[in-house]
């Protein structure tokens, strides 16, 4: 205390804190901060020590109360069991009833920590609680109300201690799991029964475990409905999308979640369309791949068949030429031998040997011609072999062309994938631009509404200016660019009134109205 008094002396004599004063008295701020730090530290230490003392006292006190309640209940139930003829079992009967309460509640806590709760256990524990109170009360003399109450109080001590520890364990388990399981408090049930029931129903049906969160959501919906009534006169006259937070409140949605439903639905539909388009593109790509593979296989098969046909024709031609050449050569040789033999015989037999020699020379010349024809046949066979080689070369070129076609197809697939990626990036950029435009439009709408509030315009004038902003949002000043039905939906009026508001908006635009010109609201 002496240190605190000494350090607080400069603070009492320091002047009031105003801008620029701290530079003249630098020691004052440091002294105040040190005093506050030492005070907060000492307060935290005292509160921590007090909390520990309270915890220890609560543990000891609850143990004493539970022991007293159990002892009193045991004695009363033992006498009651003996009176009803339980015999030796009357000594175990109180333990079974009173200890059963603690065991059932302990099992309930264990299942809760295992995240497999079974409410029947707690219900049985409450039935045993009612039973032990009734048994203890009935152990008093008949007609002795005070004695019955005295006997009934003792088990209440034991049950209250066990329930208090159960509540503490459940709360610790909820905090450990990151849950907040506070329900609707009693004072709210008393002050607003019907709204409390609706809040309790939403919390239980849609998993809202935090009571402050439920209150905040209810407050947000109330403020939102008030703003809709301020804008439209009656919230039921607001557009359907603007009424979503109120119509979806029964399903446990907040204002922001309900307002985001149309955008989420559109986004989900867009994703489904994109997925369907991707499936169609993938199916078309697979069909093109199958067609290309079939064409390549067809070309390869044709080239193989053509090469085999040329090879067979070449082999057949060579074999035929060789056979003809051999046959002709054999025939020429046999004819030459026969003619030579005849000539020789005629030469020996007659004087016409000279003529025989001449014919022999002619036969030799014929044999030479035959050999020339055989050489020509060999040349034709060589040409046939050359054509077969050319056929094999063309088949190899066809195979190479097929490989080139496969490479080009793979390149085309890669290019298609690249174009798909670029298209997705362009779509993302477009979406970002749309969101930015919507943000600017919303900001301009907000400024225009603030300006209209400042000018205190009538609802008709506000509606005309809203239609004018809708026309400007199309990128021009043509009133026909905005459909009457869109105006009717936005204002919540009929098409005839929407036509009047569009005419008034056209006149405003013709007079030079722009949302950014706040002096012309």
């Amino acid at each position: 205390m002496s240190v605190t008094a000494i350090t607080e002396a400069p603070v009492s004599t320091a002047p009031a804190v105003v801008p620029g004063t701290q530079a003249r008295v630098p020691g004052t701020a440091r002294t105040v901060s040190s005093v506050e730090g030492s005070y907060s530290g000492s307060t935290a230490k005292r509160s921590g020590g007090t909390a520990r003392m309270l915890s220890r006292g609560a543990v000891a006190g609850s143990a004493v109360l539970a022991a007293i309640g159990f002892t009193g209940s045991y004695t009363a139930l033992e006498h009651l069991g003996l009176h009803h003829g339980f015999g030796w079992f009357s000594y175990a009967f109180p333990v079974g009833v009173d200890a059963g309460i603690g065991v059932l509640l302990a099992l309930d806590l264990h299942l809760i920590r295992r995240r497999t709760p079974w409410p029947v256990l707690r219900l049985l524990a409450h039935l045993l609680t009612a039973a032990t109170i009734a048994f203890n009360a009935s152990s008093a003399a008949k007609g002795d109300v005070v004695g019955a109450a005295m006997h009934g109080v003792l088990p209440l001590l034991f049950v209250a201690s066990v329930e208090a520890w159960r509540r503490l364990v459940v709360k610790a388990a909820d905090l450990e799991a990151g849950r907040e399981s506070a329900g609707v408090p009693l004072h709210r049930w008393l002050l607003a029964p019907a709204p409390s029931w609706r809040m309790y129903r939403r919390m239980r049906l849609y998993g809202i475990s935090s009571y402050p969160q439920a209150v905040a959501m209810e407050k947000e919906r109330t403020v939102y409905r008030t703003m809709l009534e301020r804008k439209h006169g009656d919230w039921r006259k607001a557009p359907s999308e603007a009424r979503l937070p109120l119509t979806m409140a029964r399903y446990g949605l907040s204002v922001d979640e309900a307002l985001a439903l149309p955008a989420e639905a559109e986004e989900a539909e867009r994703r489904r369309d994109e997925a369907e388009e991707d499936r169609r593109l993938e199916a078309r790509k697979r069909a093109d791949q199958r067609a290309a593979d079939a064409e390549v296989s067809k070309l390869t098969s044709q080239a193989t068949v053509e090469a085999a046909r040329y090879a067979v024709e070449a082999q057949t031609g060579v074999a035929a030429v060789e056979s003809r050449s051999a046959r002709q050569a054999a025939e020429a040789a046999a004819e030459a031998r026969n003619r030579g033999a005849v000539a020789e015989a005629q030469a020996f037999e007659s004087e016409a040997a000279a003529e025989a020699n001449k014919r022999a020379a002619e036969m030799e010349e014929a044999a030479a011609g035959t050999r020339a024809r055989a050489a020509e046949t060999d040349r034709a066979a060589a040409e046939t072999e050359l054509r077969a080689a050319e056929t094999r070369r063309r088949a190899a070129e066809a195979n190479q062309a097929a490989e080139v076609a496969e490479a080009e197809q793979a390149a085309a697939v890669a290019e298609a994938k690249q174009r798909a990626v670029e298209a997705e990036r362009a779509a993302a950029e477009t979406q970002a631009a749309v969101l930015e435009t919507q943000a600017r439009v919303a900001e301009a709408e907000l400024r225009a509404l603030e300006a209209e509030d400042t000018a205190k315009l009538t609802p008709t004038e506000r509606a005309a200016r809203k239609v004018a902003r809708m026309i400007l949002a199309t990128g021009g000043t043509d009133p026909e660019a905005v459909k009457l039905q869109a105006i009717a939906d936005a204002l919540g009026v009929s098409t005839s009134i929407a036509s009047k508001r569009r005419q008034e908006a056209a006149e405003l635009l013709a007079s030079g109205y722009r949302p950014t010109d706040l002096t012309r609201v």
Side-chain angles (χ1 to χ4, degrees), residues 72-86 90-91 93-94 135 139 151:
S73 177
Y74 181 88
T75 303
L77 292 181
E78 180 190 358
H79 292 164
L80 186 65
L82 290 173
H83 179 70
H84 284 82
F86 275 52
S90 61
Y91 299 102
F93 173 69
F135 293 158
S139 64
H151 280 286

Side-chain angles (χ1 to χ4, degrees), residues 185-431:
L186 179 62
H187 69 270
R188 186 179 180 91
W189 286 102
L190 297 176
L191 296 176
S196 298
W197 165 250
R198 289 194 294 269
M199 179 182 293
Y200 175 80
R201 180 178 180 274
R202 284 195 293 268
M203 291 176 67
R204 289 296 177 266
L205 289 179
Y206 302 105
I208 304 174
S209 59
S210 173
Y211 170 70
Q213 179 185 357
V215 171
M217 293 171 63
E218 187 69 24
K219 185 184 299 183
E220 187 179 9
R221 277 191 293 269
T222 303
V223 173
Y224 185 79
R225 182 172 59 189
T226 303
M227 297 304 295
L228 282 182
E229 292 176 350
R230 175 178 176 272
K231 185 176 181 181
H232 300 282
D234 187 356
W235 67 270
R236 297 178 183 84
K237 297 181 181 179
S240 58
E241 292 188 359
R243 296 196 305 270
L244 280 176
L246 303 179
T247 56
M248 301 302 291
R250 67 183 67 181
Y251 302 108
L253 296 180
S254 64
V255 173
D256 294 335
E257 290 173 344
L259 291 176
L261 287 177
E264 292 176 355
E266 293 177 359
E267 179 66 18
E269 184 177 2
R270 183 184 65 81
R271 290 180 179 176
R272 286 193 296 271
D273 294 341
E274 290 179 354
E276 183 64 26
E277 183 65 22
D278 292 340
R279 284 193 292 270
R280 286 198 297 268
L281 290 175
E282 188 65 24
R284 190 181 305 118
K285 189 186 302 180
R286 289 196 298 268
D288 294 341
Q289 181 67 32
R290 287 195 298 270
D293 293 341
E295 185 67 21
V296 170
S297 178
K298 181 180 178 182
L299 292 174
T300 304
S301 300
Q302 289 177 353
T304 304
V305 171
E306 190 71 18
R309 184 169 59 249
Y310 279 118
V312 170
E313 290 178 356
Q315 292 175 0
T316 303
V318 169
V321 169
E322 291 177 351
S323 176
R324 285 196 302 270
S325 298
R327 187 173 61 253
Q328 290 175 0
E331 290 176 355
E335 186 179 356
R337 285 193 298 271
N338 291 334
R339 290 182 181 179
V342 172
E344 289 178 357
Q346 290 178 356
F348 284 109
E349 292 176 357
S350 66
E351 298 177 352
E355 185 66 23
N357 290 332
K358 181 179 179 181
R359 285 196 298 272
E362 290 176 355
M363 286 187 290
E364 183 66 27
E365 183 178 358
T370 299
R371 288 192 295 273
R373 287 193 297 274
E376 183 65 23
T377 301
D378 293 338
R379 185 182 63 80
E383 291 178 354
T384 302
E385 183 65 24
L386 182 61
R387 286 196 299 272
E390 181 66 20
T391 301
R392 288 193 293 273
R393 184 183 63 80
R394 286 198 298 270
E397 291 178 353
N399 292 332
Q400 184 177 4
E403 294 177 355
V404 171
E406 291 179 356
E408 291 177 353
Q409 184 179 1
V413 170
E415 185 178 357
K417 290 182 179 178
Q418 181 65 26
R419 286 198 299 271
V421 171
E422 293 177 355
E424 291 178 357
R425 184 171 62 252
E429 293 176 353
T430 303
Q431 182 69 17

Side-chain angles (χ1 to χ4, degrees), residues 423-448:
E424 291 178 357
R425 184 171 62 252
E429 293 176 353
T430 303
Q431 182 69 17
V434 169
L435 293 176
E436 184 178 359
T437 303
Q438 291 177 353
R440 290 200 300 269
V441 170
E443 185 179 358
E445 181 75 13
L446 180 60
R447 289 200 301 269

Side-chain angles (χ1 to χ4, degrees), residues 109-148:
L109 293 176
H110 179 68
L111 292 180
I112 289 174
R113 291 186 65 86
R114 291 289 184 177
R115 298 184 179 180
T116 55
W118 192 30
V120 176
L121 292 176
R122 193 179 183 195
L123 178 61
L124 292 176
H126 289 170
L127 291 176
L128 284 178
T129 300
T132 188
I133 293 174
F135 293 158
N136 277 271
S138 64
S139 64
K142 290 185 178 180
D144 188 2
V145 178
V146 176

